[in-house]
Amino acid sequence: MRTLVVACVLVLGSLGACSRTERAAQPPSIAEVTVDTVDQLLAKQECQAVDANGDATRKKLGTLPGAVLLSDSETFLTSELPADKSRPLVFYCTNTHCGASHQAAEKALTAGYKNVKVMPEGIAGWVKAGKPIAKVGS
């Protein structure tokens, strides 16, 4: 069983945008929120989820329902984000070993977005918690 868990972590860490800089190298200035908190905020329509994953991760694991799908965590255009810069945004990528969500969140802060957070558990944590996902074309 332990071997299976390790294999899953290695596969998830190698998907899509998470081949980028690891989270540990990211600045700690961005607030982090849990999967359960994001689920509650989304249910109340009090935030916008923003997916910083690549296509391969999205196809394999899905996305949070209603999430904005960035074209790329590094080079996305800020016009891909909601026009209202005061709207709370929660960025996520694959898992705690992925830095794409932090990178995209930093770009949003630099562009003037005021309420930016990251869900470090990512889509893998969301799925593990049994939360609903949206499927992306195969």
Side-chain angles (χ1 to χ4, degrees), residues 74-133:
E74 294 176 345
T75 61
F76 72 91
L77 300 174
T78 54
S79 61
E80 296 176 42
L81 297 172
D84 180 1
K85 291 189 176 185
S86 65
R87 174 106 173 111
L89 303 178
V90 177
F91 290 78
Y92 69 93
C93 52
T94 303
N95 56 34
T96 57
H97 300 289
C98 178
S101 58
H102 282 77
Q103 186 172 36
E106 283 287 341
K107 185 171 179 176
L109 285 170
T110 300
Y113 286 83
K114 305 296 182 204
N115 192 342
V116 175
K117 295 180 174 57
V118 170
M119 181 178 73
E121 294 89 351
I123 189 66
W126 185 267
V127 170
K128 182 179 178 184
K131 306 296 184 187
I133 61 164

Side-chain angles (χ1 to χ4, degrees), residues 3-14:
T3 304
L4 178 60
V5 171
V6 171
C8 287
V9 169
L10 291 174
V11 168
L12 289 175
S14 67

